[in-house]
């Protein structure tokens, strides 16, 4: 018995569904990764930050401009060590920052295979997440709240270290002030800068310590002594992972936040609004 015209039409419709679904998925994927004008501005700002940080990092006498932000990302670095220690059964005794752009986390226990790379990779992951949030004002507000909680935890671990208190206090003050500038439009550019700084600091610090200066007391040298390989090798591996984190944060930000500046401003006015 020959199929009816209705049955034939249903059969053809079913056959057309997979290609249609595939085309729709492709269209959505293409649209999600299409860079609009607002995102182009954000990408341009990221590029400008990269160039500015690279110059300020190496030019004598003016490199001190980055000092407060260096101390901040060192705090991220030490927070990564501390959090990894807590997650692997260890206990954090204290965190302290050094005016000469160093830091140390005193802890007992924990798995060193995780806690040692957690400083570099943890600060890189924080940087990537901040870059992701920096594509959107509301997301930047959420990120600043989360940062505030992390800062409070870090202050608890800091005990009586005045530099840690000062660094985190200034960072919190900057974030709070930016909430009141153009309905927090300025906040996302500050969050973006801290994210870029945190991501790049991990890479450049590894290069400075392990490739250029070859300092033997780094996290990577301790990791190499315990688990084999060379400190330079582990430093390069961790640098590559840090760059991949940063790229992933940028791609995710483009895909997740296609809103224009005007749309972001309207959304910001409805989410914990400020004058």
């Amino acid at each position: 018995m020959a199929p009816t015209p209705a049955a034939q039409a249903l059969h053809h419709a079913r056959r057309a569904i997979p290609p249609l679904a595939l085309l729709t998925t492709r269209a959505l994927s293409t649209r999600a990764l299409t860079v609009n004008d607002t995102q182009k501005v954000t990408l341009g700002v990221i590029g400008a930050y990269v160039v500015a940080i690279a110059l300020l990092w190496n030019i004598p006498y003016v490199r001190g401009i980055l000092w407060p932000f260096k101390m901040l990302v060192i705090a991220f670095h030490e927070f990564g060590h501390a959090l990894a220690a807590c997650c692997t059964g260890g206990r954090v005794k204290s965190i302290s920052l050094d005016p000469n752009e160093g830091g140390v986390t005193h802890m007992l226990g924990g798995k060193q295979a995780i806690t040692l790379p957690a400083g570099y990779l943890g600060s890189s992951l924080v940087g990537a997440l901040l870059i992701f949030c920096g594509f959107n004002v509301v997301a930047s507000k959420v990120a600043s709240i989360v940062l505030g909680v992390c800062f409070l935890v870090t202050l608890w671990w800091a005990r009586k270290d005045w530099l840690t208190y000062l660094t985190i206090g200034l960072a919190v003050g900057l974030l709070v002030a930016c909430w009141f500038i153009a309905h927090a439009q300025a906040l996302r550019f500050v969050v973006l800068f801290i994210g870029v700084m945190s991501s790049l600091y991990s890479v450049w610090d590894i290069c400075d310590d392990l490739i250029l200066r070859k300092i033997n007391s780094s996290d990577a040298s301790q990791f190499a002594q315990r688990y084999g390989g060379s400190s330079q090798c582990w430093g390069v591996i961790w640098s590559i992972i840090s760059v991949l984190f940063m790229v992933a944060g940028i791609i995710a930000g483009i895909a997740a936040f296609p809103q224009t500046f005007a749309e972001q401003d309207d959304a910001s006015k409805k989410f914990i609004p400020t004058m």
Side-chain angles (χ1 to χ4, degrees), residues 11-164:
H11 174 70
H12 290 303
R14 287 174 176 172
R15 291 184 61 186
I17 289 176
L20 179 61
L22 181 60
L23 290 174
T24 302
T25 301
R26 289 177 177 175
L28 289 174
S29 299
T30 302
R31 185 177 64 183
L33 293 179
T34 299
V35 180
N36 59 33
D37 291 339
T38 298
Q39 292 171 334
K40 288 178 182 178
V41 172
T42 303
L43 291 175
V45 170
I46 292 175
Y49 284 164
V50 170
V51 173
I53 293 171
L55 292 175
L56 292 174
W57 191 280
N58 296 290
I59 296 177
Y61 305 110
V62 297
R63 65 180 62 179
I65 296 174
L66 291 180
W67 184 83
F69 294 100
K70 285 184 179 181
M71 298 309 301
L72 180 59
V73 296
I74 288 173
F76 291 154
H77 180 104
E78 300 307 328
F79 180 81
H81 285 309
L83 184 61
C86 293
C87 292
T88 57
R91 182 170 64 88
V92 178
K93 296 178 64 178
S94 66
I95 289 177
S96 61
L97 303 182
D98 190 295
N100 295 320
E101 301 172 12
V104 61
T105 300
H106 298 282
M107 52 191 170
L108 296 174
K111 296 183 178 180
Q112 289 192 338
I114 297 176
T115 59
L116 284 173
Y120 284 128
L121 299 184
S123 59
S124 297
L125 181 59
V126 169
L129 292 173
L130 292 178
I131 290 173
F132 167 75
C133 293
F135 277 82
N136 183 268
V137 177
V138 173
S140 296
K141 284 186 172 182
V142 174
S144 67
I145 294 172
V146 174
L147 281 178
V149 174
C150 294
F151 287 153
L152 290 176
V153 175
T154 304
L155 286 178
W156 168 256
W157 283 328
R159 307 302 181 186
K160 296 181 179 180
D161 181 48
W162 68 269
L163 184 58
T164 305

Side-chain angles (χ1 to χ4, degrees), residues 184-205:
Q185 284 284 356
L187 180 66
R188 81 182 193 97
F189 291 107
V190 172
V191 168
L192 200 62
F193 180 82
I194 296 175
V196 172
M197 182 72 187
S198 186
S199 296
L200 293 180
Y201 181 83
S202 300
V203 176
W204 288 336
D205 191 50

